[in-house]
């Protein structure tokens, strides 16, 4: 059997990763802190909105039944109602009320005629208006309770909280919301060749993985903590991992392959982490490993910077979204067409960095010239990942392709 045939397919690896995580315990937080999380319980409306029938237009509140006569219909204007005011008079036969957008509909009126479909009555003054169109009941009226009715479920458990949802809660007078707490994520880089950005290099390279992953965790809604850089010894890797107790998720970078200095897998075993799987049929990112100890999930990411970010998108970000209570955690996908040609052997699913642009109503994806996993610059211009399926060996210009929008861009 070919080695690639024994590797775990991407979809299976993601499903097994997601099976290890669940929404975290709830907390009540201010609405601005709830953005990007999902509701931990049903939220019921505390107010009926709008609290009264109100006008959707600047115009005239009328009795619609009076507008069936031959047009124009002349009506006497009894009052002007502005938003925030209470109507003082009932609309009687032969009368109407000038009304502004958002103002309460006066008693007796059941419709609004927009101002552009009226005119001042010839020979009259501003107290008389001619209506130039017929309307039915409810025309340009926002009915009471259209947005919410007191006591009903306003937003069900699991609803992702974006800006409209939070605006809806503000309209109910709410200042806080129940959401899963943010995942606490520890990030560990490994490698004798690495140093911090503020340290002299002396023949080493600056660790970009931990800072990049930290930003990715932050953007995904987690709370990152960088554990530092472990040297290429079993003892030092174990010491750093042993200090990661109490986190919801621990991400390691590098040390997951089969090299003489790759000690992360051995250190995790020594720590008592039960490994769920190791190695996925994917490029970049084949040496991915996932396991759990107690309530903490451990994900061993590849050491190459771009491989680390790609596997974060495909496996870590969905896991964080589940921890944050989102019901739909799969990476988003859009359809596009390939602008170029791609070839590979069958066996591994490739996730190709591309720049996608709209042309003639379709999204065209052009692969970046460099697909090197060891250079972050090869990811800097990417807008999407193009899924080159495991069973395919060639894609040509114009072929339909599956694209995954990237979260790491500006």
């Amino acid at each position: 059997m070919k080695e690639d045939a024994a590797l775990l397919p991407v979809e299976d690896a993601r499903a097994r990763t997601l099976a290890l995580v669940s929404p975290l315990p709830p907390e009540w937080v201010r609405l601005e802190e709830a953005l990007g999380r999902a509701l931990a319980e049903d939220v019921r409306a505390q107010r009926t909105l709008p609290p009264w029938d109100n006008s959707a237009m600047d115009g005239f509140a009328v009795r619609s039944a009076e507008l069936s006569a031959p047009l124009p219909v002349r009506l006497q204007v009894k009052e002007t109602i502005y938003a925030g005011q209470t109507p003082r008079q009932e609309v009687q036969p032969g009368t109407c009320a000038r009304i502004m957008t958002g103002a309460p509909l006066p008693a007796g009126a059941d419709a609004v005629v927009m101002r552009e479909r009226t005119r001042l009555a010839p020979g009259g003054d501003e107290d008389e208006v001619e209506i130039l169109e017929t309307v039915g009941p409810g025309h340009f009226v926002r009915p009471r309770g259209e947005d919410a009715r007191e006591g009903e479920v306003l937003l069900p458990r699991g609803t992702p909280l974006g800006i409209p949802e939070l605006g809806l809660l503000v309209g109910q007078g709410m200042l806080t919301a129940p959401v899963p707490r943010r995942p606490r994520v520890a990030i560990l880089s490994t490698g004798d060749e690495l140093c911090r950005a503020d340290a002299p290099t002396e023949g080493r390279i600056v660790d970009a993985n931990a800072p990049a992953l930290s930003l990715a965790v932050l953007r995904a809604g987690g709370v990152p903590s960088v554990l530092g850089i472990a040297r290429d010894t079993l003892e030092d890797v174990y010491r750093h991992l042993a200090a990661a107790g109490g986190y919801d998720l621990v991400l390691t970078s590098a040390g997951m392959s089969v090299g003489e200095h790759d000690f992360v897998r051995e250190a995790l075993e020594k720590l008592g982490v039960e490994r769920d799987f190791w190695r996925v049929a994917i490029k970049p990112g084949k040496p991915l490993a996932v396991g759990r100890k107690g309530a903490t999930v451990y994900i061993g990411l590849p050491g190459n910077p771009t491989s680390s970010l790609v596997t974060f998108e495909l496996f870590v970000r969905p896991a964080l979204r589940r921890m944050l209570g989102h019901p739909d955690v799969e990476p988003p996908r859009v359809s596009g067409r390939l602008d170029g040609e791609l070839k590979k052997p069958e066996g591994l699913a490739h996730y190709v960095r591309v720049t996608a642009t709209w042309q003639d109503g379709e999204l065209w994806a052009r692969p970046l010239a460099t697909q090197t996993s060891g250079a972050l610059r090869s990811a800097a211009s990417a807008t999407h990942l193009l899924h080159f399926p495991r069973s395919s060996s060639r894609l040509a210009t114009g072929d339909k392709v599956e694209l995954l929008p990237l979260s790491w861009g500006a």
Side-chain angles (χ1 to χ4, degrees), residues 334-338 356 362-365 386 398-403:
V334 295
S335 179
R337 292 191 182 274
L338 176 61
E362 291 190 289
L363 199 58
W364 286 81
L386 183 153
D399 284 351
K400 282 194 172 183
V401 291
E402 179 183 84
L403 302 174

Side-chain angles (χ1 to χ4, degrees), residues 169-238:
L169 298 183
V170 169
Q172 291 290 317
M174 297 181 63
L175 299 177
T176 59
V179 292
R181 65 168 173 80
R182 294 192 182 278
R184 296 187 290 265
V185 184
I187 301 167
L188 174 65
S189 293
T190 67
D192 287 340
E193 74 280 13
L194 300 179
C195 66
R196 298 196 318 265
D198 59 352
T201 56
E202 298 176 355
R204 294 182 291 175
I205 59 174
V206 172
D207 174 29
N209 277 8
L213 288 172
S214 181
L215 292 173
V217 167
L218 194 64
R219 175 166 283 188
V223 181
S225 296
V226 176
L227 300 180
I229 301 171
R231 297 306 162 198
D232 285 330
T233 67
L234 176 60
E235 294 73 21
D236 201 42
V237 174
Y238 176 82

Side-chain angles (χ1 to χ4, degrees), residues 77-92:
V77 181
K78 300 300 290 183
E79 66 172 326
T80 297
I81 310 167
Y82 294 94
Q85 292 184 340
T86 300
R88 301 185 304 276
Q89 300 186 47
E90 180 178 351
V91 173
Q92 301 286 349

Side-chain angles (χ1 to χ4, degrees), residues 1 13-14 37 41 84 86 88 92 108 126 143 155 174 212 287 296 321 326 333 338 342 346 375 388 390:
M1 179 183 293
R14 184 161 51 242
R37 303 191 228 180
E41 60 185 62
T86 300
R88 301 185 304 276
Q92 301 286 349
E126 291 191 359
L155 295 172
M174 297 181 63
T296 303
R321 284 179 59 80
H326 290 274
R333 299 167 176 85
L338 176 61
L342 293 172
E346 295 182 9
F388 194 166
R390 185 179 185 184

